[in-house]
Amino acid sequence: SDHAVLDAIKCMAEESDPGACLDTDQIIRFFAAHNFVLNLDSYTGAMLHNLVLLESDGLLALVPWDYNLAYCTFVPGVGKEVLKDPTDLVNQGIDSPLIGTDEDSRPMWRWIVKNEKYLSEYHDVMDTLISEYFESGEFSRKVDDLYELLLPYVQKDPTAFYTAEEFKKACDTLKQFCERRAQSIRKQLDGQLSGITVDQADPDKVDASDINILDMGAFVADVRE
C-alpha cells in the first residue's frame, strides 16, 4: 500500500530498524545476486531506474527487473575506456557496488553496508552463492546445458541478431566473466582482496585482461571505435 511505502521511506530516512519496514532477508539476497552480475543499468548505477518494489504485510521487498544489460554490458554506465581491460569491473568491491552515485542516494542499499549485523548476513549469503553455485561447478554446467538447448534455435532462426559462432563466443565469455567474478568475490570474502573497490591493490585483483566484454554484446553502437 502507499502507506507502507511511505512508512518505509520514513524508516530509512530516520535510520530506524529496517526490519520494521523492509523484508531484510529478501533484500539482502537480492543484493547478493545483483551485485554479482554487475547490472549498472539499475539502482546501483548512475541512472536511478529499473527498481520494482513489492509490498507484503507492510514490508517492502525488491523485485529483479531488466537484466539484459548485466555483466557490465551497459557501457554508458561506466564509459568505454573500461572495456579495454575489464579487470577493475570483475573485481568491483562487493561492499561498494555503487557506480556513478553514492550511498546517501541509495538508501535501499545503505542500511546493509552501514550495519555490521546486516553486512555480515550479506557476506554469508554471498559466500553461499559462490560456494554452492560457482565453486561447485553448477553454474558452468547450467550454461553448457542452456547453450546446447538454445543452439539449434539460433542456427535455424532467419531473423537472428547473432550467428551461431557469435552465440558460442558469448556463452564462453559469460562463463569466463562469471568464474573470474566468483574468484574475486572469494578473495574478498576471505580478506585477500578488499571489498571496497578504492582500497584494492592491483596485484591482489583477479586478472580479466583477456576477456572482451563486447563478445557478450554492448549497449553503445559505436563502442568498437
Side-chain angles (χ1 to χ4, degrees):
S1 67
D2 293 342
H3 183 68
V5 174
L6 292 174
D7 284 346
I9 293 174
K10 181 179 179 180
C11 176
M12 288 185 288
E14 296 176 349
E15 298 188 353
S16 304
D17 178 17
C21 54
L22 303 176
D23 185 341
T24 58
D25 180 69
Q26 189 277 341
I27 294 175
I28 285 172
R29 292 176 180 277
F30 168 89
F31 274 113
H34 177 83
N35 293 343
F36 182 99
V37 303
L38 295 171
N39 178 20
L40 305 181
D41 184 27
S42 72
Y43 185 76
T44 50
M47 302 176 69
L48 183 53
H49 62 176
N50 294 333
L51 177 74
V52 179
L53 295 172
L54 175 67
E55 184 267 326
S56 179
D57 296 328
L59 299 179
L60 295 186
L62 290 174
V63 179
W65 185 260
D66 199 354
Y67 280 79
N68 65 308
L69 293 175
Y71 310 108
C72 297
T73 55
F74 184 58
V75 181
V78 293
K80 292 188 291 185
E81 68 279 358
V82 302
L83 300 180
K84 297 177 181 178
D85 181 357
T87 295
D88 286 345
L89 297 176
V90 166
N91 291 279
Q92 180 73 26
I94 58 174
D95 294 344
S96 59
L98 307 181
I99 293 182
T101 186
D102 55 50
E103 291 171 357
D104 287 340
S105 300
R106 299 295 187 268
M108 292 294 285
W109 161 254
R110 183 181 59 199
W111 64 267
I112 298 175
V113 76
K114 291 297 185 181
N115 185 293
E116 185 175 337
K117 172 181 178 291
Y118 291 124
L119 185 61
S120 178
E121 291 180 11
Y122 166 69
H123 288 169
D124 287 343
V125 173
M126 189 69 86
D127 179 82
T128 299
L129 172 64
I130 299 304
S131 62
E132 295 187 2
Y133 194 58
F134 293 95
E135 293 171 341
S136 68
E138 178 64 21
F139 165 76
S140 182
R141 290 190 293 271
K142 178 66 72 174
V143 172
D144 290 343
D145 289 345
L146 290 173
Y147 170 76
E148 296 296 337
L149 176 66
L150 295 173
L151 179 60
Y153 297 95
V154 174
Q155 293 171 325
K156 297 176 182 179
D157 185 0
T159 62
F161 290 106
Y162 298 98
T163 66
E165 291 74 21
E166 290 173 324
F167 176 58
K168 183 179 188 307
K169 183 64 175 178
C171 290
D172 290 341
T173 303
L174 175 64
K175 285 175 64 176
Q176 293 180 44
F177 184 94
C178 290
E179 287 167 356
R180 306 287 179 85
R181 179 73 175 142
Q183 292 168 13
S184 174
I185 292 176
R186 171 56 62 202
K187 294 187 71 173
Q188 294 180 46
L189 292 170
D190 289 349
Q192 300 172 2
L193 178 69
S194 177
I196 305 296
T197 304
V198 296
D199 293 338
Q200 293 177 349
D202 287 340
D204 297 331
K205 296 178 180 178
V206 173
D207 181 34
S209 58
D210 60 325
I211 294 177
N212 186 353
I213 287 180
L214 298 181
D215 288 332
M216 293 188 289
F219 180 68
V220 177
D222 64 349
V223 73
R224 292 185 184 273
E225 293 181 358

